[in-house]
Amino acid sequence: MFTGLLSLVVNIIAFIRGDYFAAATGLLFTFTYLYIAARAIFNLDDRLYGWYCLFVAINTVLLSVIDPSTQEIISMTPGNLIWMAIWLSWGLLWLSGFIELALQRPLGRGVGYFAVFCGIFTARLPGMLLLLNQFPA
């Protein structure tokens, strides 16, 4: 719940500052965190979150070809290709949520392993490279 609320505040600030792309993409994660918390607290049906996962998965395909700094179609630079792979990885993870929760088709333990992979290779390592100003352009 804390992560979702903090993310909501940060994305509202981004929206107020006029950074609509960052706010919109950040809100995809915000509502994920908030729904997961609400689902645990209020024992909500998983299928609703599964359908939200499909909505997000579709959006990740579109977001994978948009350069976040220019909001234009990406040029094929190493950094943009990495962002494309990151968005598509997240989309695949959200798609697995749709398949498992909305369609109620278990995909097995591989989803958990893929979630760990995504955590390391789409968040932790790129985040460290960004903080060190070493992310490819």
Side-chain angles (χ1 to χ4, degrees), residues 3-83:
T3 303
L5 293 173
L6 179 61
S7 179
L8 182 63
V9 169
V10 168
N11 287 298
I12 288 172
I13 291 169
F15 181 82
I16 291 168
R17 293 182 62 189
D19 194 351
Y20 305 118
F21 186 82
T25 56
L27 285 170
L28 294 173
F29 292 92
T30 298
F31 292 124
T32 296
Y33 303 141
L34 291 175
Y35 190 84
I36 293 294
R39 188 177 76 171
I41 293 167
F42 301 110
N43 197 26
L44 300 175
D45 188 349
D46 288 344
R47 290 174 295 175
L48 178 60
Y49 176 68
W51 283 102
Y52 174 74
C53 288
L54 177 63
F55 167 76
V56 177
I58 292 167
N59 278 286
T60 62
V61 174
L62 302 171
L63 293 168
S64 73
V65 296
I66 297 174
D67 185 328
S69 58
T70 64
Q71 283 86 48
E72 296 177 0
I73 300 297
I74 65 167
S75 56
M76 295 300 165
T77 64
N80 282 340
L81 292 175
I82 291 170
W83 280 118

